[in-house]
Amino acid sequence: MSAIPLVDLKAQFRVIGPEVMAQVGGVLESMCLNLGPNVARFEEEFAAYCGVSHGVGVGSGTDALALALRALGVGPGDEVVTAPLTFMGTVEAIALCGARPVFADVDPETCTLDPESLAAAIGPRTVAIVPVHLYGLPADMERVMAVARRHGLAVVEDACQAHGAEYRGRRAGSLGHVAAFSFYCSKNLGAYGDGGMVVTDDAALARRVRLLRSHGETRRYRHVLLGTTSRLDELQAAVLRVKLRHLDGWNAARCALAAEYMRRLAGLPGLSLPAEPAWARHVYHLFVVRHPWRDDLRRYLARRGIATGIHYPLPAHLQPACAHLGYGPGDFPVAERLARQVLSLPLFPELTSEQLERVAGAVRDWHRRRQRRGQPLPGVAAGA
Ligand SMILES: *Cc1c(COP(=O)(O)O)cnc(C)c1O
């Protein structure tokens, strides 16, 4: 039996290849490679998709976060609160603009920022909050925004895993003051290289990001800000314009597959399935289950040729790179427990029902074997 990958980008390219190649060819014919018509159009199209008025294409999701923070005026001496269960880029972006990352714990069911822990993490130096819409599920933004309003803080959504996700009927990217998206190849909307975008309704903020991404230049060799080189390029923008037209269909396919996983994996002792709060539309960037014996399950699936992932095995506050921040084990018990229990199962729009059935069947077999060997599984994963 053939192996089942976690993500398969080749399957998608087989479908959209001709469309993409035509657009890429057009860009190369024009030799307009930077800040040309494709970037301008894609910025408009993606901002409109998110339901906001401005988009600024940048070099990556990490840069999108960092440039949004810099454009807000965040810098040395400031603190920015975020979740420790995230991709390291979230934390790097805060450090890149000279501010100090401060962590707050996550909710055990949604795996996103816990509003109460967030409120407790705010101090006199706090200037901004970066909620992460982890795995494709928006954070509880109404409560995050209430905390921000109470303390007069800016909110930068880390929407890098949440293209098309919704919170109470509004799209990710339109929920805070400004939002950052990544177009890394494996994201729900991914380029064939690196890319990112800052989206916002704040025209002045968008203008500052636009300056920062390209050396603070207002016209050739006149620099009003010290910025950087972080532009989305024309080739990637051309690819992303093709892919944006497919995004809703791909997200719908992801949701249908997730629903099928939910049906087939329901009721297994010790196995927790992704939360689907009533206020959100999850877009399943990742399908993440939790189990106290995660590593054993992962090894079993690997032997059956089923690839899995762990997002993420070590929370940010315990990473060697963050040692100087002074956190230690036990500081964020929910994030630490999730890091030991989370397991990402194969999920991408082109995953077939046969493949999904094989994955779900293997997870059920593993449970049966463990029970037969007299190894009772813990009843409730949440308490384990
Ligand atoms: C991918 C990702 C980023 C960073 O994006 P890059 O484009 O790789 O820099 C930041 N935050 C989260 C949650 C991500 O998943």
Side-chain angles (χ1 to χ4, degrees):
M1 255 186 304
S2 61
I4 301 178
L6 189 58
V7 177
D8 182 359
L9 294 173
K10 287 183 185 166
Q12 184 185 82
F13 188 70
R14 279 195 288 274
V15 179
I16 61 168
E19 243 182 309
V20 166
M21 294 311 282
Q23 293 305 316
V24 166
V27 171
L28 293 178
E29 296 283 340
S30 78
M31 269 305 146
C32 174
L33 302 173
N34 262 304
L35 301 184
N38 282 289
V39 171
R41 296 301 306 279
F42 180 60
E43 288 175 340
E44 284 169 19
E45 290 160 1
F46 191 69
Y49 180 85
C50 296
V52 298
S53 36
H54 307 280
V56 185
V58 298
S60 71
T62 304
D63 279 356
L65 286 163
L67 295 178
L69 287 166
R70 274 190 68 186
L72 284 164
V74 177
D78 294 332
E79 292 184 355
V80 177
V81 184
T82 193
L85 189 69
T86 185
F87 178 67
M88 213 49 193
T90 316
V91 184
E92 288 171 317
I94 297 168
L96 266 172
C97 62
R100 182 183 181 83
V102 170
F103 298 108
D105 214 346
V106 295
D107 177 89
E109 284 309 311
T110 65
C111 306
T112 61
L113 210 47
D114 169 25
E116 274 164 36
S117 180
L118 165 65
I122 288 164
R125 289 173 177 273
T126 310
V127 295
I129 305 169
V130 181
V132 181
H133 305 324
L134 198 69
Y135 310 145
L137 176 70
D140 193 350
M141 288 300 289
E142 213 158 73
R143 295 178 66 200
V144 169
M145 294 307 283
V147 173
R149 263 193 305 276
R150 206 152 57 235
H151 299 271
L153 308 174
V155 175
V156 181
E157 294 171 71
D158 182 338
C160 289
Q161 302 190 355
H163 317 71
E166 288 174 18
Y167 179 84
R168 299 188 194 278
R170 285 163 55 203
R171 285 247 165 96
S174 70
L175 306 168
H177 300 113
V178 52
F181 286 89
S182 165
F183 304 121
Y184 178 71
C185 57
S186 63
K187 308 282 170 152
N188 288 29
L189 180 61
Y192 293 133
D194 281 306
M197 195 179 291
V198 176
V199 302
T200 182
D201 268 326
D202 182 334
L205 190 64
R207 182 172 177 275
R208 282 195 294 280
V209 175
R210 209 169 278 287
L211 285 170
L212 288 170
R213 75 166 167 190
S214 195
H215 310 292
E217 213 173 39
T218 46
R219 56 185 148 83
R220 201 67 181 133
Y221 302 128
R222 180 174 169 81
H223 307 271
V224 297
L225 286 175
L226 295 176
T228 186
T229 303
S230 184
R231 297 172 293 246
L232 182 67
D233 65 68
E234 280 287 300
L235 280 174
Q236 300 307 337
V239 170
L240 288 163
R241 290 186 70 199
V242 170
K243 286 190 155 202
L244 180 58
R245 297 196 277 273
H246 296 271
L247 179 59
D248 284 338
W250 288 331
N251 279 345
R254 286 174 183 273
C255 290
L257 290 162
E260 188 60 28
Y261 265 134
M262 295 289 218
R263 274 193 294 277
R264 290 177 181 274
L265 297 176
L268 293 179
L271 188 80
S272 304
L273 298 172
E276 289 186 330
W279 37 259
R281 177 172 178 255
H282 201 317
V283 286
Y284 288 100
H285 171 56
L286 294 164
F287 188 85
V288 178
V289 299
R290 288 162 278 152
H291 199 287
W293 297 348
R294 186 260 323 268
D295 293 334
D296 192 67
L297 171 58
R298 184 168 205 225
R299 276 190 295 271
Y300 181 82
L301 294 176
R303 281 199 300 275
R304 297 275 197 102
I306 296 166
T308 55
I310 297 176
H311 301 92
Y312 296 87
L314 188 63
H317 68 286
L318 301 179
Q319 291 286 351
C322 288
H324 65 288
L325 297 175
Y327 292 104
D331 283 344
F332 303 107
V334 179
E336 290 167 33
R337 191 180 73 223
L338 288 170
R340 289 191 298 270
Q341 298 191 344
V342 289
L343 185 68
S344 309
L345 300 181
L347 182 72
F348 47 91
E350 300 78 13
L351 185 79
T352 65
S353 356
E354 293 72 33
Q355 286 175 312
L356 186 146
E357 225 176 287
R358 256 178 68 201
V359 178
V363 174
R364 280 199 310 273
D365 288 347
W366 174 79
H367 272 86
R368 256 196 307 277
R369 279 173 195 226
R370 294 218 64 134
Q371 275 168 326
R372 233 188 287 129
R373 276 186 280 155
Q375 294 166 302
L377 286 154
V380 219

